[in-house]
Amino acid sequence: MNKFFKSLALVEKSSAILASRFRKNESFFDPLQVFNEWSKSRKFTFTDTKCLHAHLLRAYEMHKNPFFANSLVDFYFKSGSLDYAVKVFEEIPELNVVSWNIMVSGYNENLLYDDSWRVFCRMHSLGFVPNQFTYGGVISACCSLQNNVNGKQIYGLVMKNGLFTNGYVRAGSIDLFAKSGCFEDALRVFYDVSCENVVCWNAIISGAVKNKENLVALDIFNEMCGFSLPNSFTFSSILTACTALEELDLGRGVQGWVIKCGAGEDIFVSTAIIDMYSKGGHMDEATKEFWYMPIRNVVSWTAMISGFVQNGNSISALQLFNEMRKLRVETNKYTITSVIAACANLAMITGAQQIHCLIFRIGLYKDSVISASLINMYSNIGAVGLAELVFKEAEKKHVVAWAGMISACAKHGSSESAIALFQRMLQECLRPDMFSTCSVLSIVECANLGRQIHCLSLKNGLLNDVSVGSSLSTMYSKCDLLDESYKVFEQIAQKDNVSWASMIAGYAEHGCAYKAIQLFRDMLSVKAKPDGKTLIAVLTALSALHSLKNGKEVHAYALRRDNSKHAVAGGALVNMYSKCGALHLAWNTFNMIPVKDQVACSSLVSGLAQNGSIEDSLELFHYMLMTDLGIDSFTMSSLVGAAVRLDILYVGLQLHTHIIKLGLESEVSVGSSLVMMYSKFGNINDCREAFDHIQKPDVISWTVIITSYALHGRGGEALRLYDLMKESGIKPDSVTYVGVLSACSHSGLVDEGYFHLKSMTKDYGIEPGNRHYACMVDLLGRSGKLEEAKRFIDEMPIKPNALVWATLLSSCKLHGDVELGKLAAEKAIELQPSDAGAFISISNICADIGQWDEVVKIRSEMKQTGLKKELGWSYS
């Protein structure tokens, strides 16, 4: 025999079986009997195998018996002695297909799948013909490696060698392609030949479920019932498909099959039924099924606890966990994470502390998944400091704890901390997962940083994940980059409701209502099912367009899909009808909402206020105060705006009192409305005080205060406010420049007016419109530069409208320039013949200089055209 066999010594401690046999009579040693006994018991070690090996060398010519050699290779693999197994294999003089099969399966059993593949390649290159067990083993290795390329090559050899009808090989091939994400290839393998093998049916059904092709799984199950009887594995998979599709009635039908086939006592089937009822919200039926189970394991207990948590019943979840502990049922980390989720609210803070202590006691505090769950729990109850302590003690080799802490920081507004943690994670050479990427994207407001994370996601292969794609799309939308947002949205392969809703909302929030509605139509055309968030987004777009007809269609769609949509999108429906002026429909929709929440009440209050129904809006506002519904800034700003439009100062003052009481005076929308109100009623000091209380003034609030000062003849102060606005980093818009130019006009600042008019285009790229040019004409006219004003109009890059000529006409009236006034009046009347103002102005000019014939002529023209001078009136 070779050197390896000759050098193998008999070990001192032999197995009990061998020792007893050799003590009796060594000549009676029967290796076949030993191999059979060991194969049945599987109670052998590396030492036992070496002992047997030594006895075989001494008593038999082992190299002449391939069965002995192959069995030794197998035993060495099973005892974890891979080096010895390989050495014995290499010294076998005449290898056969069994030898190669043992090597392939041995490497598989020891999770060395690459070595298994290399052994197969070597076998094939040496000309050995694989059998079904060889193919089954190497296919299993490719499946574990998720290497569908090599898997396809193996299946090609299977087809070539005529083994494609073998159920064992086909089931392995189906499993390989399904787990590698190539479900279409798995289907092709399954349908290559007709088959009654239940294992193949189970493989394709399970593969369909794992690839979220649940409807396909149901179709194949229906086919299967005509060929083969389902077993427990089939029922577990098909019940999972029913759960994913929310097909509870169909699931009940499958449960009937389970009872009929006698598979109800199978623990995996029962657990799948519990999961189906739990996720469908039917915890009574899940509980009944659970207590009927003859045997319950940790999976079934965990499924029940998780079901209670998902249905918001934390108390029952904790009670069941306590019962589980009393019965001394083994708990695993999935049980613990479900219990942690049950404690993730302020009412369960005592339970949170107790479960944390239990985790320390049972030694699971180092587990990264448990650490992440604890971080999330403390984050949900607002204890960010405790979350940070857990993170400091957590094992940081896994990304899951980092992701939990980043999410906690993002959730509580600590944007800088979240981004810093994300950067530290990269410095630790950890690859961000989709959860940490989505969390950090949710707080990114800088396009450059967002693009860097986009590139990182592309590098890490995360763009195929729908949640990452949706987060990127939303991030670009928040940064006002709608084109880039839509490009990312288009690249999402499997769009879900979140991705559709975020893109529709992005268009709606950025004034692209038509695009939002078109996207909603596209969503319906691909048979996607909009949820409440999507309906709210599209209703927001319709509100901006005042599209009552389309709004009614969306409302009808929501009712047809699910009557409970009123509870989800009720506020959006009320807002849409209010914005469209259909107050009776807004009231009807409001009355149909089962529980009046803040959104619905605020929408109706605002709608009533904006449509002039101030008494009804105040009555509903009083109802909100009496029922302790939260009052938001949107509601208060709408009410103040209504008081301004209706010139009701005492109502505005009372509302201001409520605003101070509610602590909303620092909100930008409320503060802007108050500034506008006091400006309208002529109190510029209160106007400034209201502005100073705004915490973060935006372009609207700055514009309102600048315009207020301008209209009250305090142009210099208005321009100083404009400088402060620029210093604060707020960019002016076209409306702001109307206020700035009005300030110049009321203060006679001609040079400053020209400067700011040029600055619009030069510094901010804003093209002046007729309102801006009218302000300049007013500025020149007030300064007595009527001819310059006329030249200015003639040189305008756009065609002057009636407002520009009417402004010049007013200046001519002020300075008594009849000829230029007549020209301005003719132009104004030509552009807007239905406006009596131009006729009245030129008539007054002629009257001031005694041209009564002209006055009579102009009055006669007014009568001929049917125009009348409105009578003046006052409050006094």
Side-chain angles (χ1 to χ4, degrees):
M1 202 61 184
N2 55 57
K3 293 180 180 179
F4 170 67
F5 287 159
K6 289 177 180 178
S7 64
L8 188 63
L10 178 64
V11 294
E12 294 180 1
K13 294 181 180 180
S14 62
S15 70
I17 298 173
L18 292 177
S20 62
R21 290 187 181 280
F22 282 109
R23 278 196 300 270
K24 291 178 181 178
N25 190 339
E26 191 173 298
S27 63
F28 286 99
F29 170 66
D30 184 359
L32 290 175
Q33 187 176 353
V34 174
F35 282 134
N36 288 332
E37 289 178 2
W38 281 18
S39 298
K40 291 177 182 177
S41 69
R42 295 184 175 272
K43 294 180 180 179
F44 51 89
T45 64
F46 170 60
T47 303
D48 294 333
T49 308
K50 285 181 70 177
C51 179
L52 174 62
H53 191 175
H55 283 300
L56 286 171
L57 285 174
R58 196 166 67 178
Y60 295 88
E61 294 184 356
M62 201 183 81
H63 63 287
K64 292 183 179 179
N65 192 326
F67 172 76
F68 291 164
N70 290 337
S71 297
L72 272 177
V73 174
D74 187 36
F75 288 165
Y76 275 127
F77 267 122
K78 285 182 168 62
S79 64
S81 309
L82 275 64
D83 292 339
Y84 279 81
V86 172
K87 287 177 180 178
V88 173
F89 173 80
E90 294 294 348
E91 297 297 341
I92 298 175
E94 293 184 8
L95 295 170
N96 57 23
V97 69
V98 176
S99 310
W100 292 102
N101 288 350
I102 289 171
M103 290 295 291
V104 170
S105 62
Y107 278 126
N108 283 350
E109 288 171 3
N110 287 274
L111 309 182
L112 298 172
Y113 304 112
D114 286 319
D115 292 323
S116 179
W117 170 254
R118 280 194 288 271
V119 166
F120 174 79
C121 293
R122 182 181 166 195
M123 173 187 179
H124 186 261
S125 66
L126 292 174
F128 288 89
V129 179
N131 61 16
Q132 66 268 30
F133 301 108
T134 321
Y135 285 126
V138 75
I139 287 172
S140 177
C142 292
C143 184
S144 298
L145 293 170
Q146 293 191 349
N147 191 334
N148 62 307
V149 175
N150 290 347
K152 288 178 180 179
Q153 294 176 357
I154 296 296
Y155 192 69
L157 290 174
V158 168
M159 296 287 287
K160 181 180 178 182
N161 294 335
L163 289 172
F164 59 92
T165 58
N166 182 272
Y168 174 60
V169 176
R170 288 186 67 218
S173 301
I174 291 167
D175 194 42
L176 162 65
F177 293 128
K179 287 182 177 177
S180 301
C182 302
F183 183 65
E184 291 183 1
D185 292 328
L187 278 175
R188 276 194 286 270
V189 172
F190 177 74
Y191 285 114
D192 275 346
V193 291
S194 60
C195 178
E196 297 182 7
N197 188 329
V198 69
V199 178
C200 293
W201 287 99
N202 286 344
I204 193 64
I205 291 172
S206 172
V209 173
K210 287 172 183 174
N211 284 273
K212 299 182 180 179
E213 297 285 352
N214 297 294
L215 289 172
V216 177
L218 294 178
D219 289 339
I220 295 173
F221 175 72
N222 190 42
E223 289 180 45
M224 177 185 181
C225 296
F227 290 91
S228 181
L229 189 67
N231 61 14
S232 298
F233 190 86
T234 321
F235 288 129
S236 298
S237 297
I238 211 66
L239 284 166
T240 303
C242 293
T243 303
L245 291 170
E246 299 180 3
E247 292 285 354
L248 190 60
D249 291 337
L250 184 58
R252 286 194 174 102
V254 175
Q255 186 182 6
W257 267 67
V258 168
I259 297 169
K260 184 177 179 180
C261 296
E265 294 187 358
D266 185 275
I267 194 167
F268 297 105
V269 175
S270 298
T271 303
I273 293 171
I274 290 170
D275 192 51
M276 177 185 71
Y277 284 127
S278 298
K279 289 181 178 174
H282 297 267
M283 287 308 300
D284 291 340
E285 294 184 62
T287 304
K288 189 186 298 182
E289 181 68 25
F290 177 74
W291 290 118
Y292 278 156
M293 292 176 67
I295 301 173
R296 305 176 196 92
N297 63 3
V298 64
V299 179
S300 49
W301 282 92
T302 303
M304 277 300 297
I305 293 170
S306 177
F308 278 123
V309 174
Q310 289 170 9
N311 286 276
N313 192 345
S314 297
I315 294 174
S316 295
L318 292 178
Q319 288 174 343
L320 195 64
F321 178 67
N322 289 334
E323 183 69 21
M324 182 182 181
R325 296 276 296 165
K326 287 177 185 177
L327 295 173
R328 298 184 182 280
V329 180
E330 175 196 4
T331 58
N332 58 24
K333 65 179 181 180
Y334 302 106
T335 317
I336 298 298
T337 51
S338 296
V339 176
I340 291 171
C343 298
N345 61 73
L346 276 173
M348 308 298 293
I349 189 166
T350 303
Q353 294 169 343
Q354 291 174 348
I355 192 64
H356 198 167
C357 293
L358 176 64
I359 289 166
F360 272 101
R361 198 170 74 191
I362 61 180
L364 286 175
Y365 65 95
K366 290 279 188 184
D367 186 276
S368 57
V369 175
I370 299 272
S371 298
S373 299
L374 284 170
I375 290 168
N376 184 60
M377 177 187 73
Y378 284 126
S379 172
N380 285 339
I381 64 178
V384 182
L386 292 174
E388 289 176 348
L389 287 176
V390 173
F391 178 71
K392 286 179 182 177
E393 297 173 357
E395 178 63 59
K396 296 183 178 63
K397 292 181 181 178
H398 303 285
V399 71
V400 63
W402 291 87
M405 197 63 229
I406 290 169
S407 175
C409 292
K411 190 181 297 182
H412 290 276
S414 301
S415 303
E416 293 181 1
S417 299
I419 294 170
L421 275 171
F422 190 77
Q423 291 172 334
R424 275 181 55 199
M425 184 172 65
L426 295 175
Q427 290 167 1
E428 295 287 336
C429 298
L430 289 172
R431 177 176 293 181
D433 61 357
M434 63 93 177
F435 187 67
S436 56
T437 303
C438 291
S439 296
V440 77
L441 282 170
S442 69
I443 47 93
V444 170
E445 295 180 353
C446 172
N448 289 333
L449 178 59
R451 288 191 179 100
Q452 291 177 28
I453 298 174
H454 189 170
C455 293
L456 184 65
S457 302
L458 180 63
K459 181 181 178 182
N460 292 336
L462 293 175
L463 290 187
N464 291 328
D465 185 90
V466 63
S467 59
V468 174
S470 300
S471 298
L472 280 168
S473 179
T474 303
M475 180 273 297
Y476 282 124
S477 178
K478 285 194 301 183
C479 296
D480 297 331
L481 299 170
L482 284 182
D483 290 339
E484 293 187 47
S485 175
Y486 186 68
K487 284 178 184 176
V488 174
F489 171 77
E490 281 189 309
Q491 291 171 4
I492 301 174
Q494 299 293 329
K495 299 177 180 64
D496 62 0
N497 276 324
V498 175
S499 54
W500 284 103
S502 61
M503 192 66 241
I504 291 170
Y507 277 136
E509 291 166 3
H510 288 81
C512 302
Y514 286 108
K515 290 184 178 180
I517 294 167
Q518 183 57 51
L519 201 61
F520 180 68
R521 292 194 179 104
D522 294 341
M523 180 181 184
L524 296 178
S525 68
V526 297
K527 309 299 182 184
K529 296 180 180 179
D531 59 6
K533 291 182 179 178
T534 315
L535 292 175
I536 290 171
V538 76
L539 285 168
T540 302
L542 292 169
S543 300
L545 292 174
H546 304 290
S547 179
L548 181 60
K549 179 177 178 294
N550 290 330
K552 288 180 178 179
E553 291 174 353
V554 174
H555 191 176
Y557 175 82
L559 289 172
R560 189 169 68 248
R561 282 289 313 281
D562 186 358
N563 284 325
S564 66
K565 293 292 183 189
H566 270 307
V568 178
L573 284 166
V574 171
N575 182 57
M576 181 272 298
Y577 283 129
S578 300
K579 290 283 181 67
C580 294
L583 294 183
H584 65 291
L585 292 175
W587 268 114
N588 290 342
T589 304
F590 179 78
N591 291 329
M592 290 171 67
I593 299 172
V595 179
K596 274 68 173 176
D597 60 4
Q598 177 187 349
V599 176
C601 289
S602 296
S603 298
L604 187 55
V605 168
S606 303
L608 291 167
Q610 291 166 5
N611 284 279
S613 300
I614 187 68
E615 291 183 5
D616 290 336
S617 64
L618 289 173
E619 186 177 341
L620 187 55
F621 173 66
H622 183 258
Y623 165 80
M624 292 178 71
L625 292 173
M626 296 301 293
T627 54
D628 289 329
L629 282 174
I631 309 294
D632 59 10
S633 56
F634 179 67
T635 306
M636 295 310 302
S637 61
S638 299
L639 288 169
V640 172
V644 172
R645 286 192 296 276
L646 296 175
D647 287 329
I648 310 176
L649 177 59
Y650 72 92
V651 173
L653 293 174
Q654 290 179 11
L655 289 171
H656 193 175
T657 303
H658 276 292
I659 288 167
I660 295 171
K661 186 177 179 180
L662 295 168
L664 294 175
E665 68 270 23
S666 62
E667 293 291 328
V668 63
S669 59
V670 176
S672 299
S673 298
L674 289 171
V675 171
M676 191 179 298
M677 179 185 78
Y678 286 119
S679 175
K680 174 74 178 289
F681 294 123
N683 195 331
I684 195 66
N685 292 328
D686 287 342
C687 182
R688 179 59 186 269
E689 187 176 348
F691 175 79
D692 288 338
H693 276 95
I694 300 174
Q695 189 172 9
K696 292 182 179 180
D698 61 2
V699 64
I700 296 174
S701 49
W702 280 105
T703 299
V704 171
I705 190 67
I706 290 169
T707 304
S708 299
Y709 270 97
L711 293 176
H712 285 79
R714 298 167 72 167
E717 293 179 63
L719 293 177
R720 280 193 290 274
L721 283 168
Y722 172 67
D723 291 334
L724 286 174
M725 172 186 175
K726 292 190 294 182
E727 289 174 9
S728 67
I730 303 295
K731 293 182 179 180
D733 60 11
S734 61
V735 182
T736 311
Y737 270 108
V738 172
V740 170
L741 293 172
S742 295
C744 296
S745 175
H746 286 80
S747 300
L749 304 172
V750 177
D751 293 337
E752 286 83 351
Y754 277 116
F755 171 79
H756 288 299
L757 185 68
K758 292 177 182 177
S759 175
M760 286 180 64
T761 307
K762 180 182 176 183
D763 297 330
Y764 299 102
I766 302 172
E767 292 298 328
N770 275 301
R771 291 185 65 191
H772 303 101
Y773 289 122
C775 289
M776 282 302 300
V777 171
D778 186 54
L779 170 58
L780 294 171
R782 284 173 183 267
S783 302
K785 301 180 178 182
L786 297 179
E787 291 299 327
E788 186 176 342
K790 171 63 172 59
R791 286 196 303 274
F792 180 85
I793 294 174
D794 292 338
E795 294 172 0
M796 280 173 54
I798 61 175
K799 183 179 179 181
N801 64 1
L803 174 65
V804 175
W805 289 109
T807 304
L808 179 61
L809 177 59
S810 298
S811 297
C812 292
K813 180 179 180 296
L814 178 66
H815 294 285
D817 192 328
V818 179
E819 295 303 319
L820 188 55
K822 286 182 179 180
L823 174 64
E826 289 174 3
K827 295 288 186 180
I829 293 169
E830 180 184 339
L831 292 168
Q832 199 169 355
S834 61
D835 184 14
F839 287 98
I840 301 301
S841 294
I842 191 63
S843 173
N844 290 338
I845 293 174
C846 292
D848 288 341
I849 60 174
Q851 293 184 0
W852 298 107
D853 292 340
E854 290 293 326
V855 172
V856 172
K857 181 181 177 182
I858 293 168
R859 298 283 182 176
S860 176
E861 289 179 7
M862 287 182 64
K863 288 182 180 179
Q864 291 175 6
T865 55
L867 296 176
K868 293 182 179 179
K869 180 181 183 295
E870 291 185 9
L871 297 175
W873 60 280
S874 69
Y875 283 112
S876 57

